[in-house]
Amino acid sequence: MLGDSLPPPPPPPVRVRCDTSEELERAFPHTTAIIRRGYWTATEQAELNGWMRQFDDTRCVEFNSIRRYYFTCPEQAAKLREHALDLRLHRLRVQCGEGATREEVALEWERRAAEREEILAWGRLTGMTRQVVAHYRAERHVGTYSYTAHFNAAKIIEKAHPTIADPRNHAGVMIEWAEREHRSWFWRCCRGLHHL
């Protein structure tokens, strides 16, 4: 029979399990970050998904309006970085589908770095970092998804400091800082997948 002469199909790729942020970054040490405050069209998302199929095994995590793609090789991360800039996939404004230029993206990363330091200083001064991080951890401990826990932690800032224009970003910066600086403590006793 004709089917008997065909070689067996190749085995599916072995998928590396990553339950924590530390395991994810160890298995996939090279990252490309894309700012996603606005939206991608269905065409853009489909095109990116198709383009990403050239890589064997990657991970994608979105937190605080930043989508991070994790790769095993630096060339893969660099390739996506250039591809995202060429296609203008960075969305700098909330609920906007307009892509940013390379220059706008570079300026936005600089602005975000300066803003991050201001937010962290404000959080230490007001004591909000402790409250926000404690609330996020408590919600994750009972199994709440990251998106919902982040949203609810931002409500603490919104209620205590209604003049803060973007409490969700403030909460996200504080949560990311605590997770990176105090990783083993941060995830102690939490359930589910633990990467941001």
Side-chain angles (χ1 to χ4, degrees):
M1 290 175 36
L2 184 60
D4 292 337
S5 63
L6 295 175
V14 176
R15 209 157 148 82
V16 178
R17 183 183 165 111
C18 300
D19 287 339
T20 67
S21 299
E22 189 173 23
E23 290 170 348
L24 176 68
E25 291 169 7
R26 193 170 38 246
F28 301 93
H30 306 285
T31 310
T32 293
I34 301 175
I35 301 166
R36 268 206 36 164
R37 292 181 61 85
Y39 57 87
W40 289 339
T41 65
T43 303
E44 288 172 321
Q45 183 66 65
E47 195 278 331
L48 180 60
N49 291 348
W51 190 85
M52 288 293 292
R53 285 193 194 101
Q54 68 184 297
F55 306 117
D56 290 336
D57 196 16
T58 63
R59 295 293 186 278
C60 177
V61 176
E62 190 160 337
F63 186 79
N64 208 29
S65 301
I66 304 289
R67 182 173 281 192
R68 288 184 175 85
Y69 291 88
Y70 293 84
F71 300 93
T72 55
C73 302
E75 298 81 17
Q76 295 170 332
K79 210 170 171 184
L80 177 58
R81 196 171 303 115
E82 285 302 309
H83 187 68
L85 289 169
D86 289 343
L87 293 181
R88 296 175 64 151
L89 293 177
H90 291 269
R91 301 296 193 260
L92 308 186
R93 294 192 310 277
V94 176
Q95 298 306 319
C96 178
E98 183 181 324
T101 66
R102 288 173 179 270
E103 295 77 20
E104 290 170 331
V105 171
L107 288 172
E108 179 65 9
W109 283 121
E110 288 177 21
R111 187 197 69 76
R112 281 176 168 261
E115 179 186 62
R116 178 182 184 275
E117 295 309 312
E118 290 173 14
I119 290 170
L120 292 175
W122 176 84
R124 285 189 293 272
L125 182 67
T126 60
M128 290 307 298
T129 300
R130 183 179 298 113
Q131 292 178 51
V132 165
V133 171
H135 189 84
Y136 180 87
R137 288 181 75 234
E139 290 216 3
R140 291 303 303 272
H141 175 69
V142 297
T144 305
Y145 286 110
S146 178
Y147 177 85
T148 306
H150 179 194
F151 182 81
N152 292 337
K155 287 182 180 177
I156 293 172
I157 296 174
E158 188 176 25
K159 184 176 179 183
H161 300 275
T163 58
I164 297 296
D166 192 353
R168 194 149 189 273
N169 181 50
H170 276 57
V173 167
M174 294 173 191
I175 293 164
E176 283 186 318
W177 172 83
E179 196 274 340
R180 296 231 178 267
E181 296 298 317
H182 308 285
R183 192 163 266 171
S184 61
W185 164 83
F186 188 88
W187 291 120
R188 193 176 304 135
C189 300
C190 287
R191 298 179 186 168
L193 295 178
H194 300 320
H195 49 75
L196 288 176

